[in-house]
Amino acid sequence: MEKLYEEIRKDLSADKNYEYTKWLTEHYPRRISGMGDDRKAAEWVASKFKEFGLESEVINFEAYNSNPISSSLKVIQPELKEIDSLPCCHVESTPKEGIDVELVYVGAGDYDDYIEKDVKGKAVLVEVSYSPATPEKARIATEKGAIAMICANWGEDENEEEDYICGRGLKSVWGNPTPETFKDIPKISGVSISHSAGIYLRNLCKSGKKVLVNISVQCTRSWDMLAMPIGYLRGNEVPEEFLLVNGHIDAWEPGVTCNATGNGTILTLAEQLAKHQDKIKRSIYFVCWNGHEIAESAGSTWYVDHHWDELDENCIGGINIDSTGMLHAVQYECTASREVMKFVKDIIKEILNEDINVLPLNKFGDQSFFGIGVPSIVGRMGMSEEYIKRTNGANLGWWNHTIKDDLDKVDKNNLQKDLEVSAAIICNYVNASVLPQDFSITCEDIETKLTEIIDKADPKIEIKSILYNIRKLKDYITTINSRKISLNSNPPTDNKVKLINELLLKLSRSLTWAFYTYCDRFEQNSYAYKPATKPIPLLYSAVELANMDPTSSEYKLHYTSTVRNRNRVSTALREALKYCELYLTLIDQ
């Protein structure tokens, strides 16, 4: 374990983290993007960074945003009933008197849930979950022709004490829209209701009777100036390189575990690390994103777009800190980019003595860095499978995004564990001589998926050369890992260490977007976008092509796009191989 961590560990305090959480919540409880408290909170966090001795600033950026105004929901057939609701944000506002519309229950709201269901011109009832995430539910509902959506919250059945309405946004375009993606923002009206109200409506829909509801919802859609704080802790040996420690500052009121605890964790880490700045080799950027909840990661996406060169050349990785210290959490859970999975797993085992299964990172939260290829880590104490099942999917607590996400939902023991693991990851990452990236898992994953795709793909799409090249890359990775071991005792300023670290970053930049996104490096897939969840998304269209009629226009159109996607993937991989060849030659001189 890095000595720096051993020095700060004794001063990592869940009480201090809780103190920052409490102050932020009590002074700025309504941190919804663009409504005022979010800016005040950003200015306060920036002032704390400065107080700790960091360089700090408040970044102002423009985001396509939305704020809630009002909503109402009434059942008008087969019986009369008023149901409490909250307006979803980034939805099509209805007339004040609302719209009368037939309601259809579609469960989780994934594609399979629409089989043999006609929802054109109707409203759909969906259950809040991450299968898929709510913005993707809205995108699919719009694609299927629905004009309204009712989001029923998760929670425990028949438990009135935990029956509250959650805040939701239905934007389904990651970050600020472009002329090409603006049309993809769902043109759908939406309200959110409690879990028990959802059960009532579900049963009504399943009764066989036609269900009509009146939905009234109003929200804003506007370009707003948002603020987010950033603090810079400069390293002493390689200050131009930096680790991005980040989490979101905007929140539904009062937003304690989503994400005032995470903001408090970032502040606590910044405070303690600043006391040992003279022992830190690389820089650390602490940033609290705005536009996370409603504008769909607008802040982190804006940062990628406007700091592209600096991130591309010098960002060694990121750790996202969200929903730390949750009540009822019983085990540490972690997802990470494949090249840092083993690094994180080893640290967690040493700190918590838990041999957990670190999972590959998916695009959620503020993971706006897939395209640019910055490795990322997300971890926290999480709920048990039994709890999640009992609460119908509430992996962030039944209170998430409700008015009950208050200070009583914080567990200080869990907060302490989250603090210690995050600190250990940061210290070992920024002070490692050779960066911790290991692409063995990445290559194995890609090889397995390529083999599966080849067996099912249209034979007209040439994929075997890509499989050959990934096996060639595996051999290079073996060589790179042996060089890493031999160079690990050298300082990060050593020329050979610099070369191998630069190579590791080049590999992340080349491989991540090509094998784990469904767009090019400079674009963003939306939250839980279905095509991006396929094995090697850009290549998987070759499998879908095999199931089309080769004489149809559909096939001919998709054939051209599939060939181009194949070329994108192949070019990125050949680029990675060229980097290996060139850099290893320089290192071995």
Side-chain angles (χ1 to χ4, degrees), residues 61-65 90 171-178 181 185 223 291-292 294-302 305 363 368 524-527:
F61 69 101
E62 196 168 28
Y64 190 53
N65 193 36
H90 259 305
K171 180 161 163 274
S172 186
V173 167
W174 195 281
N176 281 341
T178 65
T181 61
I185 297 175
W223 290 93
H292 164 90
I294 296 170
E296 193 161 338
S297 302
S300 54
T301 304
W302 181 92
D305 289 342
K363 186 162 182 174
S368 303
Q524 299 279 351
N525 293 136
S526 62
Y527 199 166

Side-chain angles (χ1 to χ4, degrees), residues 457-502:
D458 188 315
K460 291 182 180 178
I461 306 301
E462 195 285 310
I463 302 177
K464 289 184 179 179
S465 64
I466 300 176
L467 179 60
Y468 172 82
N469 281 336
I470 201 67
R471 288 170 175 164
K472 188 176 178 181
L473 182 62
K474 281 178 68 176
D475 293 337
Y476 273 127
I477 297 306
T478 300
T479 302
I480 290 168
N481 287 342
S482 68
R483 298 295 187 278
K484 285 172 63 179
I485 293 170
S486 66
L487 293 171
N488 209 35
S489 59
N490 295 15
T493 52
D494 177 84
N495 188 55
K496 290 183 182 292
V497 172
K498 282 187 171 184
L499 286 170
I500 203 158
N501 285 341
E502 190 172 334

Side-chain angles (χ1 to χ4, degrees), residues 220-284:
T220 66
R221 269 179 168 167
S222 58
W223 290 93
D224 296 337
M225 291 300 297
L226 305 182
M228 54 192 182
I230 187 165
Y232 307 94
L233 185 61
R234 304 295 181 185
N236 290 280
E237 294 186 25
V238 199
E240 67 277 9
E241 295 180 358
F242 65 96
L243 183 72
L244 197 62
V245 178
N246 62 96
H248 67 92
I249 198 165
D250 56 306
W252 300 97
E253 185 177 3
V256 170
T257 63
C258 185
N259 184 35
T261 51
N263 301 147
T265 299
I266 290 172
L267 284 169
T268 305
L269 292 168
E271 183 175 22
Q272 295 307 319
L273 287 163
K275 294 176 182 178
H276 301 272
Q277 184 173 1
D278 60 322
K279 301 179 183 70
I280 297 175
K281 296 178 180 179
R282 296 179 180 86
S283 298
I284 307 171

Side-chain angles (χ1 to χ4, degrees), residues 414-431:
N414 286 338
L415 205 55
Q416 186 68 33
K417 292 177 182 178
D418 286 332
L419 260 177
E420 292 181 5
V421 174
S422 295
I425 291 170
I426 293 167
C427 292
N428 282 272
Y429 213 134
V430 297
N431 273 8

